[in-house]
Amino acid sequence: MIKINNILVAVELDKESEGVIEYGITLGLILDANVRCLHVSRPEASRLIYDEEGILLDNYNDSLDDVVVDDIEDMVDDDLQKLRAMVVTVKNKLSIVEHTVIVNVRSDFAVAGIISEAEETAADLIIVGAHVDYRRQDMGISNLSRSIIDKSTKSVVVVPSTYGNRNLDHICMFINFEFGELTMIQDMIQVATNNGIHLSFIHILDIDEKVVAVEKKLKVYQRLFLQDEEHNLISFTMKTGNIDDIIDDLTNDMDVDLIGLKTQKKHWNLFGLQKAFDTSVLNHIKVPLYIWRR
């Protein structure tokens, strides 16, 4: 999360959006980053032009008549006014009326529009809502959030729709003792020390026989990263058990405000869980989830 200068907060215009905007602006204040709020207005059916074989044309915009173009512009303008009103409401709630937050609405397909906006504005971090539905056990967050995580080259924070805004006091990052995680650890330690945030690096273990090997790895990491007194808020620990129970423990007993992991890996397969670890985390999200990418 180090060197984040520009944050893109992508929202729907629904009741959960104000919470996501509030989280994005608050994180921007903590990190001293610029915040841009985006809503993507999906193309209307009248915009889709097909050829004689029923294949969608890529250049359908060139085929739109003036009436359709005017309708699209009106739709975008209406959504822009709604988004501005939501941002003003959040700023008033946070008592930062004079704080600048850029807003934009673009007409596009949701995932493509969000990713394009992030690239065009040099966003370092994308924040999206999770829209958690606990009634569906097979899908912890929305397909949109999953698609942004899978397709974006930027770091992503997924905010559960049920999550209330609060200060960022405790971050937990899952680690798997991989070389590619060393930069992530350095970045997160700098963020934590610069902002006085408690930071826990945790390795999840479900095989008791591997405890000794993991403990040796943890000692190496402690010697490597925790030599200075200023790192008294940083810890490297191990937890054993079911990932759902561990996340509950982190969010309830340890009061963790942000859970993170490096990018997306297919399996958590070193000294630990022989299953789709990342999917389990996504399906049990209770606090914002940070997907780190360099």
Side-chain angles (χ1 to χ4, degrees), residues 204-206 239-249 273 275 277 280 284:
I204 307 300
L205 184 68
D206 67 345
K239 283 186 173 291
T240 60
N242 180 274
I243 185 61
D244 295 354
D245 295 334
I246 290 172
I247 291 178
D248 287 339
D249 177 51
L273 304 177
K275 64 177 184 178
F277 177 83
S280 297
H284 202 69

Side-chain angles (χ1 to χ4, degrees), residues 8-15 17-18 20-21 36-44 47 72 74-87 101-115 117-118 126-128 131 144:
L8 177 65
V9 183
V11 295
E12 298 289 348
L13 299 177
D14 52 19
K15 62 181 180 180
S17 295
E18 284 190 10
V20 179
I21 292 172
R36 171 185 291 262
C37 293
L38 170 73
H39 171 67
V40 179
S41 296
R42 295 172 178 80
E44 300 294 329
R47 296 185 60 194
I72 294 171
D74 290 342
M75 175 187 66
V76 170
D77 185 64
D78 182 56
D79 286 346
L80 183 60
Q81 297 306 316
K82 292 177 182 177
L83 181 58
R84 283 175 176 163
M86 295 179 71
V87 170
V101 176
I102 301 172
V103 297
N104 187 38
V105 171
R106 61 190 296 157
S107 180
D108 203 338
F109 295 98
V111 175
I114 293 170
I115 292 176
E117 186 84 4
I126 300 174
I127 296 179
V128 293
H131 298 286
L144 173 62

Side-chain angles (χ1 to χ4, degrees), residues 233-279:
L233 294 178
I234 317 298
S235 64
F236 287 88
T237 59
M238 170 183 59
K239 283 186 173 291
T240 60
N242 180 274
I243 185 61
D244 295 354
D245 295 334
I246 290 172
I247 291 178
D248 287 339
D249 177 51
L250 293 175
T251 54
N252 298 328
D253 298 337
M254 295 181 62
D255 201 25
V256 169
D257 304 304
L258 180 68
I259 292 177
L261 65 160
K262 177 184 175 293
T263 189
Q264 286 285 101
K265 298 182 288 293
K266 292 183 177 180
H267 294 90
W268 192 261
N269 55 14
L270 179 63
F271 302 137
L273 304 177
Q274 302 295 325
K275 64 177 184 178
F277 177 83
D278 294 343
T279 299

